[in-house]
C-alpha cells in the first residue's frame, strides 16, 4: 500500500471541520475577553451550529473520505442535521437558566460544539477506530458538561458517575472491537462484513459483537446498561440534562443502526436476538420504574429509557420499514423531549428551581398556555393518536409485525399502555390538583422551543407524510 | 537467538521482575515509584530486543518521563498512610493468587488458541515490515500523517477537550491572591526601590 493522504472527498467533512475550527475560534474569544463574553460566545455558538446545519441541508454529494472511514450518505446527512438542531436548541435553552443560576461559563457552549463534532463523526463512522474516536470525543465533552456546575455536589457526583461508568462502557466497546479485529483482520465496517461473508462467523466474532453492542447500548441508556441515566439526569444542571436527553441519544442510535446494518449485516440473526432482548427490557423497565418517581428529571430519564426501547423495536425488525421507523422515532422523540425540558426549565418559583412533579399542580390556572402545550407533549409521549408520538410507535410496531416479531410488538404495546399511566398522572396533576404556587414567567427562548415542539406534535398529521419520505430516503442508505 | 541476546533478555527480564516485586513490597512509597521506573526501563530494554524500538522509546518518554513523575508527585503530596493501607495484606493473598491463576490460565488458553487455529494470524491487515529493512519509527511515520491523518487530527481534538475539561473543572479565579509580576520586578529602578532617609542620632525611624 502506498501511503498517501486521501483528500479526494475532503469536502464531505467540511461541516465537521467548520465546527472544530469554529469551536477553537470561540475558545480564543472566550479566553481573551473573559467571563464578559459569555453572551457573545453563546450567541455565536448557536449561530455556528445553525450555519453548519444549513450547510449540510444544502450540501449535495455523497460518498466516503479518508480511505472509507468517513461516510456521508442520506442517513448520515439527516441524522447530522437532527443532532445539530438538538445541540443548538440545547444551548439556546440554557441562556436564562445560566443567567439566574449563576452558572454562566463560556466553556459550556464550546464543549457542546465539540461534543456535537464528536456526534457527527460517530454518525459518519465507517470504521471501528473512527467509531471509537468519535464516541470518545463526544463522551469526554459530556463528562465535563455533566460536572460543569462544579460548586454543586450533585452535579459533580453526576459527572464522576457518568465518567466512571462511561469509561467502563468504552472499555467493553474496545474489547469487543479488538476481538472483531482479531477474528476478521479488518477494522472497516464494509470489510468486516466481507470478511464474515467469506470466512463465516465464529464464536470470537459473536463475542466481539456482544461487547460492542453493550458499549453502544450504554450510550443510548438501554437496559441493562441504563443504571447511570436517572442519577446523571437528576444531578446534572437541567439545561445539561435537556442536552443529554436529545442530541447524544440520536447520535448513538445512528451509530447503533450503522454498525449492525453494515458491519454485522451477515450475522443478522445473532444481533437481532440481542436487540430484541435489549428493546424488550428497556420498554418494560421504562414503563414500570417511572411509576414511583417524584422528581420530574428522573421521570424523564426513565421515559427516555423506555423510548429508546421503542426505537430499538424498529431496529430489531432490521428491514427498510424498521430503519425508517427508527429515524422517524428519533425525530419525534427529540421534538417531544426538548419541549418537555423547556417546561421543566420553566418550573421556577421565586425561591429557585423546583423539580417535583407535584409542583406542577394547578398549572392550568396559573399558566394555561404552558399547561396546554405540556399536556399535548405528555399525550404524545404516551402515544395517544393523532399526536406525533403515536405515529412514531405506529411505524416501529408495523415494521416489527412485518418482520414477524409479534411478541416484541405485543409487549411493546402493553408497555406503552403501562407507561401511559405516569404521563396521564402528570396531566391529572396539571388540570385537577389544587395550585400550590405559581411559576415565574417563562423565558422567551423557552416559549419558542415549547411552542415549536408543541405545534410539531399537534400538527404532525398534516406534514408527517413529507417527513416520512425523508426518513425513507435516509433508511434506503442501508439497502 | 544468539548467546548475547539471550543474556540480555534474561538480564532485563530478571531485573524487571525483581523491580516489580520491590514495587509492591518496599515500605517506602517513594522507593516503590523508583523501582517502578527501573521496571519500565527494563521493559524498554525487552522491547528493544524484540525490535520494537519505537515502543521502547515511547515507554521511556511517556511512562518514565511523565506518568512515573506524576506518581511521585501524587505519592509525595497526598498524605496517605501506606503502612496502615498495607495492614492485612496477607489476608488478601489467597484471593489475589486465585485471580492471578485465572489470568494465567486465560493467557495459556489464548496462546493455545493461536496454536489451534493458526489461520487467524494470516488475516492480519498489514504485515509488520521486517525491522531490518525498515525501522518501526519510519514505518509508523509512513502512515501516521498520511493514511491515518483523520485519526491523528481527531486525537488532537480529543486532547483539546481533555485540556478544556481539566481547566473548566479545576481552575478557580481567586481575586485576592498576590501574584508575582516579573516585568514589574525587572522594571524597578534604584529610585523606586531605595529610599534614603536621614536619621537623627538617638532616634529611630
Amino acid at each position: 500500500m502506498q501511503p498517501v493522504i486521501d483528500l479526494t472527498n475532503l469536502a464531505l467533512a467540511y461541516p465537521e471541520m467548520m465546527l472544530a475550527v469554529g469551536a477553537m475560534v470561540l475558545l480564543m474569544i472566550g479566553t481573551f475577553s473573559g467571563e464578559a463574553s459569555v453572551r457573545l460566545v453563546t450567541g455565536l455558538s448557536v449561530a455556528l451550529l445553525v450555519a453548519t446545519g444549513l450547510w449540510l441541508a444544502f450540501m449535495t454529494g455523497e460518498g466516503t473520505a479518508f480511505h472509507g472511514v468517513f461516510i456521508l450518505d442520506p442517513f448520515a446527512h439527516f441524522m447530522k442535521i437532527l443532532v445539530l438542531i438538538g445541540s443548538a436548541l440545547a444551548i439556546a435553552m440554557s441562556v436564562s437558566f445560566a443567567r439566574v443560576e449563576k452558572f454562566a461559563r463560556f466553556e459550556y457552549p464550546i464543549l457542546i460544539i465539540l461534543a456535537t463534532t464528536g456526534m457527527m463523526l460517530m454518525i459518519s463512522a465507517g470504521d471501528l477506530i473512527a467509531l471509537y474516536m468519535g464516541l470518545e470525543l463526544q463522551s469526554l465533552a459530556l463528562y465535563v458538561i455533566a460536572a460543569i456546575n462544579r460548586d454543586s455536589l450533585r452535579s459533580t457526583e453526576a459527572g464522576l458517575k457518568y465518567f466512571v461508568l462511561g469509561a467502563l462502557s468504552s472499555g467493553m466497546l474496545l474489547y469487543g472491537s479488538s476481538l472483531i479485529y482479531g477474528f476478521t483482520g479488518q477494522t472497516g465496517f464494509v470489510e468486516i462484513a466481507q470478511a464474515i461473508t467469506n470466512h463465516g462467523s465464529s464464536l470470537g466474532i459473536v463475542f466481539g459483537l456482544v461487547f460492542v453492542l453493550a458499549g453502544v447500548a450504554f450510550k443510548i441508556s438501554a437496559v441493562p446498561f441504563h443504571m447511570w441515566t436517572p442519577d446523571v439526569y437528576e444531578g446534572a444542571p437541567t439545561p445539561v440534562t435537556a442536552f443529554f436527553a436529545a442530541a447524544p441519544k440520536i447520535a448513538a442510535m445512528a451509530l447503533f443502526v450503522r454498525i449492525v446494518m453494515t458491519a454485522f449485516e451477515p450475522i443478522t440473526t445473532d444481533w437481532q436476538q440481542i436487540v430484541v432482548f435489549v428493546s424488550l427490557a428497556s420498554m418494560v423497565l421504562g414503563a414500570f420504574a417511572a411509576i414511583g418517581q417524584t422528581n420530574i428529571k428522573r421521570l424523564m430519564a426513565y421515559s427516555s429509557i423506555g423510548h429508546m426501547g421503542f426505537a430499538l423495536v424498529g431496529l430489531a425488525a432490521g428491514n427498510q420499514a424498521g430503519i425508517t421507523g427508527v429515524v422517524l422515532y428519533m425525530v419525534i422523540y427529540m421534538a417531544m423531549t426538548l419541549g418537555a425540558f423547556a417546561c421543566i426549565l420553566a418550573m421556577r418559583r421565586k425561591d429557585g428551581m423546583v423539580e417535583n412533579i407535584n409542583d406542577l399542580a394547578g398549572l392550568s390556572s396559573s399558566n394555561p398556555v404552558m399547561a396546554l402545550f405540556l399536556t399535548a407533549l405528555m399525550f404524545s409521549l404516551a402515544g395517544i393518536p393523532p399526536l406525533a408520538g403515536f405515529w412514531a410507535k405506529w411505524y416501529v410496531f408495523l415494521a416489527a409485525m412485518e418482520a414477524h416479531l409479534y411478541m416484541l410488538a405485543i409487549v411493546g404495546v402493553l408497555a406503552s399502555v403501562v407507561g401511559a399511566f405516569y404521563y396521564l398522572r402528570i396531566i391529572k396533576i396539571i388540570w385537577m390538583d389544587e395550585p400550590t404556587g405559581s411559576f415565574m414567567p417563562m423565558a422567551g427562548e423557552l416559549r419558542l422551543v415549547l411552542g415549536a415542539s408543541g405545534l410539531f406534535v399537534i400538527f404532525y398529521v398534516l406534514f408527517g407524510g413529507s417527513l416520512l419520505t425523508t426518513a425513507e430516503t435516509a433508511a434506503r442508505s442501508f439497502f | 537467538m544468539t548467546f548475547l541476546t539471550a543474556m540480555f533478555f534474561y538480564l532485563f527480564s530478571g531485573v524487571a521482575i525483581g523491580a516489580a516485586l520491590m514495587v509492591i513490597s518496599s515500605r517506602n512509597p517513594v522507593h516503590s515509584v523508583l523501582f517502578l521506573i527501573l521496571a519500565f526501563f527494563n521493559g524498554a530494554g525487552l522491547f528493544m530486543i524484540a525490535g520494537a524500538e519505537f515502543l521502547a522509546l515511547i515507554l521511556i518518554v511517556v511512562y518514565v518521563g511523565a506518568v512515573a513523575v506524576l506518581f511521585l508527585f501524587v505519592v509525595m503530596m497526598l498524605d496517605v498512610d501506606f503502612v496502615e493501607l498495607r495492614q492485612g495484606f496477607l489476608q488478601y493473598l489467597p484471593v489475589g493468587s486465585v485471580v492471578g491463576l485465572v489470568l494465567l490460565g486465560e493467557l495459556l488458553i489464548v496462546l493455545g488458541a493461536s496454536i489451534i487455529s493458526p489461520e487467524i494470524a494470516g488475516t492480519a491487515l498489514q504485515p509488520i515490515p521486517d525491522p531490518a529493512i525498515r525501522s518501526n519509527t519510519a514505518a509508523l511515520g509512513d502512515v501516521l500523517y498520511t493514511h491515518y491523518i483523520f485519526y491523528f487530527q481527531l486525537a488532537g481534538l480529543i486532547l483539546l477537550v481533555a485540556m478544556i475539561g481539566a481547566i473548566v473543572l479545576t481552575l478557580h479565579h481567586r481575586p485576592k491572591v498576590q501574584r508575582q509580576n516579573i516585568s514589574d520586578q525587572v522594571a524597578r529602578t534604584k529610585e523606586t526601590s531605595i529610599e534614603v532617609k536621614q536619621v537623627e542620632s538617638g532616634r529611630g525611624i
Side-chain angles (χ1 to χ4, degrees):
Chain A
M1 179 202 64
Q2 186 64 34
V4 282
I5 307 183
D6 180 10
L7 294 178
T8 42
N9 275 330
L10 189 66
L12 296 179
Y14 279 164
E16 279 83 354
M17 288 181 205
M18 179 165 137
L19 274 188
V21 173
M24 289 176 219
V25 171
L26 289 175
L27 192 62
M28 288 299 113
I29 296 176
T31 315
F32 283 105
S33 43
E35 295 297 316
S37 60
V38 175
R39 290 182 72 91
L40 177 72
V41 172
T42 310
L44 285 176
S45 305
V46 177
L48 177 66
L49 289 170
V50 171
T52 313
L54 285 176
W55 188 349
L56 263 171
F58 290 105
M59 195 166 116
T60 52
E62 287 160 14
T64 59
F66 304 110
H67 301 280
V69 303
F70 183 92
I71 303 171
L72 191 66
D73 51 10
F75 178 75
H77 220 107
F78 187 76
M79 292 310 235
K80 279 183 187 180
I81 294 174
L82 209 57
V83 160
L84 284 165
I85 296 172
S87 299
L89 289 179
I91 297 181
M93 278 160 66
S94 73
V95 174
S96 62
F97 182 90
R99 202 173 45 237
V100 180
E101 299 283 309
K102 310 256 179 302
F103 132 107
R105 313 203 51 175
F106 72 85
E107 291 97 341
Y108 174 66
I110 292 169
L111 282 169
I112 289 196
I113 295 181
L114 286 167
T116 312
T117 316
M119 289 175 215
M120 291 170 70
L121 292 167
M122 276 158 73
I123 294 171
S124 274
D127 185 289
L128 288 173
I129 307 174
L131 178 161
Y132 178 68
M133 297 195 86
L135 197 70
E136 264 327 89
L137 179 59
Q138 182 225 224
S139 311
L140 203 57
L142 293 189
Y143 305 146
V144 179
I145 295 173
I148 194 143
N149 195 1
R150 62 185 182 191
D151 300 324
S152 144
L153 195 63
R154 284 166 74 206
S155 174
T156 328
E157 186 199 324
L160 195 63
K161 194 170 252 176
Y162 194 17
F163 174 68
V164 172
L165 290 174
L168 183 75
S169 85
S170 288
M172 288 198 280
L173 187 81
L174 277 180
Y175 183 50
S177 303
S178 72
L179 278 172
I180 289 165
Y181 175 64
F183 280 87
T184 60
Q186 305 288 348
T187 57
F189 292 168
V190 179
E191 290 82 9
I192 290 173
Q194 256 167 15
I196 298 177
T197 318
N198 294 343
H199 305 290
S201 179
S202 66
L203 197 61
I205 293 176
V206 176
F207 257 84
L209 169 77
V210 171
F211 276 102
V212 167
L213 292 194
V216 182
F218 176 89
K219 299 293 171 195
I220 59 167
S221 69
V223 180
F225 307 101
H226 64 284
M227 280 81 86
W228 60 277
T229 323
D231 294 339
V232 172
Y233 274 31
E234 191 189 356
T238 316
V240 175
T241 314
F243 173 60
F244 280 7
K249 291 282 163 68
I250 292 162
M253 187 57 91
L255 184 71
F256 206 141
V257 172
R258 162 104 53 211
I259 194 164
V260 297
M261 293 307 289
T262 51
F264 300 117
E265 204 266 331
I267 45 172
T268 300
T269 43
D270 288 319
W271 63 254
Q272 217 169 13
Q273 292 169 14
I274 302 171
V275 175
V276 166
F277 167 73
V278 168
S279 163
L280 272 178
S282 304
M283 286 188 296
V284 172
L285 185 118
F288 283 97
I291 292 174
Q293 303 303 324
T294 51
N295 182 304
I296 192 148
K297 279 158 83 180
R298 280 189 91 84
L299 181 103
M300 285 307 288
Y302 284 109
S303 155
S304 106
I305 293 171
H307 280 289
M308 288 303 123
F310 289 118
L312 284 177
V313 172
L315 183 60
N319 48 22
Q320 196 176 332
I323 305 301
T324 312
V326 175
V327 173
L328 214 55
Y329 205 103
M330 294 322 286
V331 178
I332 295 169
Y333 166 77
M334 193 180 85
M336 296 188 298
T337 307
L338 286 174
F341 271 101
C343 289
I344 296 173
L345 278 164
M347 288 169 64
R348 173 193 305 288
R349 296 251 166 91
K350 279 201 185 64
D351 46 349
M353 297 290 293
V354 288
E355 288 174 1
N356 216 312
I357 297 173
N358 287 328
D359 292 320
L360 283 167
L363 187 67
S364 56
S365 55
S366 60
N367 191 345
V369 181
M370 180 178 155
L372 200 70
F373 277 119
L374 186 55
T375 309
L377 285 169
M378 288 299 145
F379 272 131
S380 175
L381 280 166
I384 311 277
L387 298 169
F390 167 73
W391 296 105
K393 290 195 173 101
W394 169 265
Y395 287 114
V396 290
F397 287 142
L398 212 60
M401 298 297 277
E402 236 175 71
H404 307 290
L405 296 167
Y406 301 116
M407 241 295 273
L408 191 62
I410 291 167
V411 174
V413 172
L414 290 178
S416 168
V417 172
V418 174
F421 166 75
Y422 56 83
Y423 296 120
L424 294 177
R425 188 162 68 102
I426 295 178
I427 295 170
K428 177 232 160 206
I429 289 171
I430 294 175
W431 293 91
M432 319 265 180
D433 285 10
E434 286 300 311
T436 50
S438 61
F439 296 132
M440 305 282 281
M442 212 171 175
E445 69 274 1
L446 296 181
R447 285 180 201 199
L448 205 69
V449 174
L450 178 61
S453 117
L455 293 177
F456 178 90
V457 298
I458 295 169
F459 295 109
Y460 178 78
V461 250
L462 301 181
F463 59 87
S466 59
L467 203 58
L468 182 66
T469 328
T470 325
E472 267 169 355
T473 323
R476 214 168 291 135
S477 312
F478 297 110
F479 297 92
Chain B
M1 203 187 272
T2 62
F3 172 70
L4 205 60
T5 4
M7 205 181 73
F8 271 109
F9 174 77
Y10 286 112
L11 175 74
F12 285 139
S13 2
V15 177
I17 292 170
L21 280 176
M22 287 306 286
V23 171
I24 53 165
S25 61
S26 68
R27 285 197 174 278
N28 188 333
V30 176
H31 293 173
S32 289
V33 178
L34 292 176
F35 275 115
L36 189 67
I37 293 175
L38 183 63
F40 281 150
F41 265 106
N42 285 285
L46 286 176
F47 273 134
M48 225 31 145
I49 292 175
E53 87 287 346
F54 185 75
L55 266 183
L57 294 175
I58 283 290
L59 189 70
I60 291 176
V61 171
V62 176
Y63 279 85
V64 177
V67 176
V69 172
L70 192 75
F71 277 3
L72 261 185
F73 268 107
V74 171
V75 164
M76 287 175 178
M77 309 264 278
L78 288 185
D79 188 22
V80 182
D81 190 352
F82 283 88
V83 179
E84 197 180 311
L85 265 184
R86 204 163 288 138
Q87 272 172 359
F89 176 70
L90 274 181
Q91 81 189 54
Y92 296 117
L93 199 63
V95 181
S97 39
V98 167
V99 171
L101 279 177
V102 169
L103 280 177
L104 183 71
E106 283 180 341
L107 266 177
L108 288 177
I109 291 170
V110 169
L111 280 180
S114 73
I115 295 163
I116 293 163
S117 60
E119 73 276 0
I120 287 171
T123 52
L125 195 58
Q126 286 164 304
I128 304 145
D130 186 356
I133 303 165
R134 193 143 181 79
S135 75
N136 278 228
T137 319
L140 269 171
D142 278 346
V143 290
L144 188 59
Y145 305 110
T146 52
H147 193 261
Y148 292 113
I149 183 73
F150 179 64
Y151 300 143
F152 187 72
Q153 295 290 337
L154 214 53
L157 263 187
I158 294 174
L159 288 178
L160 175 72
V161 171
M163 206 159 72
I164 299 174
I167 294 172
V168 166
L169 295 180
T170 55
L171 182 69
H172 284 272
H173 287 291
R174 289 192 188 84
K176 284 181 185 167
V177 175
Q178 301 276 335
R179 284 207 174 76
Q180 186 181 26
N181 190 336
I182 305 281
S183 56
D184 278 359
Q185 285 185 337
V186 173
R188 273 162 76 102
T189 57
K190 196 171 154 193
E191 286 72 38
T192 57
S193 49
I194 301 177
E195 199 180 338
V196 182
K197 284 200 173 175
Q198 288 288 345
V199 183
E200 284 177 42
S201 57
R203 286 186 172 189
I205 299 171

